[in-house]
Amino acid sequence: MNSYIYQNKAFLFINNREDLILRTYDIESQELLGELKLREEYMTNDELQKVIKKSSRKNFSLTAAVNEGLENTLLINLDCVATYEYFYHYNWWWHHTMFQNMMMQQMQISKPNLPFGPNVGEDNDLYFYYSSRPVQLVMDQNLKFIKTSAGTPVRPQFNKSKYLDIFENNDMVKEETISFTSGSVRTIYFSEVTKAVHLKIFD
C-alpha cells in the first residue's frame, strides 16, 4: 500500500496480490471520488504488469507519485523498491529519543537492525540507487485515464547521473550531500585535497 497527496486529493494505491487498486479521495469531504483496478484497466501494458507483480512480493514495496502534467493532466508514476535496500522507521522521533537516552547512559550501541532511510554504504554518505524509469500513466482532471497520451510533466525530468557521477568513486571527496531544486543543483562536500568544505551550484 502507498499513498500520495496532491492538491486537495489523496491517492491510495493498494496491491492486493490480484490487482493494483487506485482509490482517490477528496481530502476535505473524505468522499471517495473513484476507484480503478489498474491491472484490469491496463492489461496490455507489460511494464505496469511487471510492477504490479513485483510489488506484491514480500521483499518489495510499491512506490507512487502524482505530478502535474501539461494540458491540465495528472501523471501517475508507479515503481517498486526492495524493502531491504530502502526502509523507514515510521515512528522516527520515538526511535531517535530512545537512541539519545541510551547514548546518555553510555551503553554500547550496536549497529541498528533496521536503518533509517536508504541503506547507505558505510564508506559513502551519498546514496546511489539505480533502477529503471517508473511506469507513467496519464489521467485527466476528472480522474479518467488517457491511454493515448504519453504525458509531459510541467517540470521535466533531467539526467541526475550527470551530477551524481562527479562524486561516485572519488576518494578525495568526503561527506558529500546533494540537493535538486527547481532551478539548480547544489552540493556540499569536504575535499581531502584542499582540506576545506566546498559548496557548488550547478545550473
Side-chain angles (χ1 to χ4, degrees), residues 5 8 17 25 55 87 96 158 173 190:
I5 304 289
N8 62 338
R17 296 183 184 269
Y25 294 87
S55 66
F87 182 85
H96 183 70
F158 59 95
V173 172
F190 176 79

Side-chain angles (χ1 to χ4, degrees), residues 6 74 77 85 97 111 115 119 128 133 135 171 176 181:
Y6 181 77
L74 299 175
N77 294 298
E85 290 182 351
T97 302
K111 195 173 182 180
N119 185 8
F128 295 93
R133 293 180 75 89
V135 174
D171 294 335
E176 63 273 10
T181 69

